[in-house]
Amino acid sequence: MALQITECGGVFSVHGNLNSSNVIILERHMSRFINTKNQVVLNLGRVAQLDETAAHMLQQMHKRAMKIKAHFTIIGQENANILSGMS
């Protein structure tokens, strides 16, 4: 399943497979919105599959947001399809 990113009211939902082939697309897209002024929520609830590279990139995105004190939250980590990648 191809990667799709939708946005509604500052909540960005990821649909499809998130892997080493497409995680850079997500990272570039989100870097435009993660700043200290706006609250951004990344919803992983509809991710069908997550590989180790994508999980690592999500961790790095979160760390960068914390460094600049951005309001960045990742939700949907209880999704059974991504649990093994997020541990």
Side-chain angles (χ1 to χ4, degrees):
M1 176 184 238
L3 180 69
Q4 181 181 17
I5 305 166
T6 59
E7 187 268 336
C8 182
V11 177
F12 294 83
S13 295
V14 180
H15 309 263
N17 298 329
L18 190 54
N19 53 46
S20 59
S21 300
N22 61 20
V23 72
I24 195 71
I25 295 166
L26 176 66
E27 194 276 330
R28 286 181 183 163
H29 184 75
M30 295 305 297
S31 68
R32 289 185 262 160
F33 299 98
I34 297 171
N35 57 52
T36 57
K37 296 180 179 126
N38 299 318
Q39 173 139 358
V40 175
V41 177
L42 180 62
N43 182 357
L44 303 177
R46 294 193 174 207
V47 171
Q49 188 177 28
L50 179 81
D51 72 7
E52 186 177 323
T53 302
H56 179 72
M57 179 64 81
L58 289 168
Q59 290 172 344
Q60 294 304 310
M61 259 195 300
H62 191 261
K63 284 181 184 178
R64 281 194 301 274
M66 287 177 56
K67 279 185 181 180
I68 64 168
K69 296 181 177 23
H71 303 282
F72 179 60
T73 306
I74 299 175
I75 63 172
Q77 296 178 55
E78 66 280 353
N79 177 348
N81 296 327
I82 67 170
L83 276 177
S84 62
M86 294 302 284
S87 56

